[in-house]
């Protein structure tokens, strides 16, 4: 680890001013669960660490106009246990519950999970399926991006230098919707996923009006299962259709071979998990 200056601003404006002062030599730290490892491994060597811990107003979870807004500094554990999240978007609380261990969930933050842009993480998958929007602040002001446009490449997000994530807004799925999050991790319960899938299915009688499917750990970013979504839209849902929708995502994923499985294995498991996630979401929509 290299020597660095440590700053603990109290407001977003102060944090942005420090980031402006140090430019590319500054690095934001929130929960530190990823960054401390990167510092130890000398993957990053910042001249200044800007802690967000004392920044006021970034740690709230609130219901706003049919949506839930989660501040960037909320921990995974807070999102998992929040009554607002559990009541309105239970699949999101369940997703945070499936991250690592409770000790890590007490440290890792919602903004950190987005900014880190590790394609093996769980929350981005469900946020993508739910069509969430990321709030960002920089020296030039505030902007908002759909999660669909936030992840750009392997560990690379749409954040420009000097920008920070301030929160994420997630709309409550429309009436008649069912949701699911499936995390396939054959090794240990606290591991990253071999394949993770989130699905949101909206019913129109016995037909599917709209389906949104997202996958993690099968590409350089979390991905939408667009082929599966297109197959379900407007159709009567059957076992056969769900199986075909699962198979349809195989061409759109591009997993890396690693100790969690070969690329070929992950591609097959992506199809299985998409079918399973869609079946669970459809079942929930019918209830
Ligand atoms: C052993 C272990 C197992 C894990 N398993 C899983 C798992 O199974 N599933 C899962 O989803 N996650 C898992 N995680 C957590 C995940 O990999 C990240 O460590 C975590 O999401 C990062 O959040 P953080 O708040 O600690 O970020 P930090 O470590 O503080 O920061 C990470 C990066 O994001 C930047 N950053 C942080 N906050 C902001 C912000 N608000 N604005 C702009 N940039 C910011 C930092 O500059 C840094 O580049 C695991 C972590 C560990 C250590």
């Amino acid at each position: 680890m290299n020597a660095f200056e440590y700053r603990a601003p109290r407001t977003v404006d102060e944090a942005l001013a420090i980031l402006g002062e140090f430019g590319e030599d500054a690095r934001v730290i929130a929960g530190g669960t990823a960054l401390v490892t990167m510092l130890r491994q000398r993957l990053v060597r910042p001249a200044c660490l800007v802690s967000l811990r004392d920044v006021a107003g970034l740690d709230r979870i609130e219901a706003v106009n049919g949506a839930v807004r989660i501040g960037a500094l909320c921990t995974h554990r807070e999102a998992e246990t929040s009554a607002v999240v559990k009541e309105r978007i239970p699949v999101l609380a369940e997703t945070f519950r499936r991250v690592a261990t409770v000790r890590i969930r007490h440290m890792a933050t919602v903004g950190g999970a987005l900014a880190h842009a590790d394609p093996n993480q769980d929350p981005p998958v469900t946020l993508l399926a739910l069509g969430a929007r990321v709030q960002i602040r920089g020296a030039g002001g505030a902007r908002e991006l759909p999660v669909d446009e936030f992840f750009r490449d392997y560990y690379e997000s749409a954040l420009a230098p000097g920008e920070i994530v301030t929160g994420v807004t997630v709309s409550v799925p429309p009436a008649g919707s069912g949701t699911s999050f499936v995390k396939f991790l054959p090794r240990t319960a606290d591991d990253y996923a071999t394949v993770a899938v989130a699905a949101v299915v909206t019913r129109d009688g016995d037909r599917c009006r709209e389906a949104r499917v997202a996958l993690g750990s099968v590409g350089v970013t979390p991905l939408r299962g667009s082929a599966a979504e297109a197959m379900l839209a407007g159709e009567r849902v059957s076992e056969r259709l769900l199986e075909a929708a699962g198979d349809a995502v195989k061409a759109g994923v591009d997993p890396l071979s690693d100790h969690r499985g070969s690329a070929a294995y992950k591609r097959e498991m992506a199809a299985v998990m998409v079918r399973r996630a869609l079946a669970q979401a459809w079942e929930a929509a019918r209830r």
Side-chain angles (χ1 to χ4, degrees):
M1 213 184 276
N2 64 303
F4 51 78
E5 209 173 303
Y6 180 82
R7 300 274 190 96
R10 302 236 163 206
T11 66
V12 171
D13 286 336
E14 274 175 42
L16 294 176
I18 300 167
L19 290 173
E21 186 187 327
F22 283 85
E24 304 240 336
D25 288 334
R27 196 86 185 204
V28 159
I29 184 163
T33 58
L35 191 61
V36 170
T37 305
M38 293 195 290
L39 287 167
R40 284 210 183 106
Q41 295 176 342
R42 296 179 174 246
L43 292 171
V44 291
R45 296 161 181 247
C48 178
L49 270 196
V50 185
S51 170
L52 296 183
R53 281 300 179 128
D54 296 337
V55 173
L58 295 185
D59 59 353
R60 290 190 208 115
I61 299 181
E62 53 200 356
V64 273
N65 304 329
V68 173
R69 186 173 184 285
I70 305 177
L73 265 193
C74 293
T75 65
H76 288 31
R77 181 70 174 159
E78 283 163 348
E80 166 196 349
T81 55
S82 154
V84 172
V85 180
K86 284 202 291 189
E87 191 183 299
R88 289 169 174 80
I89 316 180
V91 69
L92 194 53
E94 168 62 13
T95 304
F96 281 106
R97 192 185 70 78
R98 300 295 307 280
V99 171
T101 59
V102 74
R103 287 175 68 183
I104 287 165
R105 298 201 295 277
H106 269 295
M107 296 297 293
T109 64
V110 173
L114 288 160
H116 190 42
D118 173 351
N120 300 311
Q121 292 176 127
D122 304 305
V125 178
T126 303
L127 292 169
L128 196 52
L130 288 163
R133 301 176 305 284
V134 185
Q135 281 94 47
I136 297 166
R137 285 268 310 269
R143 64 186 180 118
E144 190 175 71
L145 267 188
V147 172
D148 271 299
E149 294 169 27
F150 185 78
F151 298 108
R152 293 284 164 88
D153 209 335
Y154 202 49
Y155 290 88
E156 200 179 304
S157 76
L159 285 178
E163 284 190 321
I164 63 171
V165 174
T166 53
V168 60
T169 302
V170 194
S171 295
V172 175
S177 297
T179 56
S180 65
F181 174 72
V182 174
K183 181 172 181 178
F184 176 58
L185 64 179
R187 295 174 357 130
T188 57
D190 58 355
D191 197 9
Y192 287 91
T194 298
V195 176
V197 179
V200 181
V201 172
T202 310
R203 247 182 95 199
D204 186 1
D206 62 350
R207 288 179 188 273
C208 170
R209 188 188 324 142
E210 191 192 2
R212 286 182 65 103
V213 180
L215 299 94
S217 303
V218 289
V220 294
T221 64
L223 300 170
R224 287 279 291 281
S226 316
E229 295 174 356
M231 285 185 88
L232 262 79
E235 296 296 328
R236 280 207 167 78
V237 174
S238 64
E239 274 293 320
R240 187 179 291 185
L241 180 64
L242 295 179
E243 194 164 339
D247 283 341
V249 300
K250 283 195 225 172
V253 301
D254 190 13
L256 296 172
S257 292
D258 60 18
H259 59 285
R260 295 189 184 88
S262 67
Y265 174 67
K266 290 183 189 178
R267 187 171 287 113
E268 291 303 319
M269 294 316 290
V272 174
M273 294 306 141
V274 164
R275 173 171 52 74
R276 197 171 290 175
L278 282 169
Q280 286 181 15
W282 180 250
E283 207 36 56
R286 276 156 49 103
R287 287 197 299 270

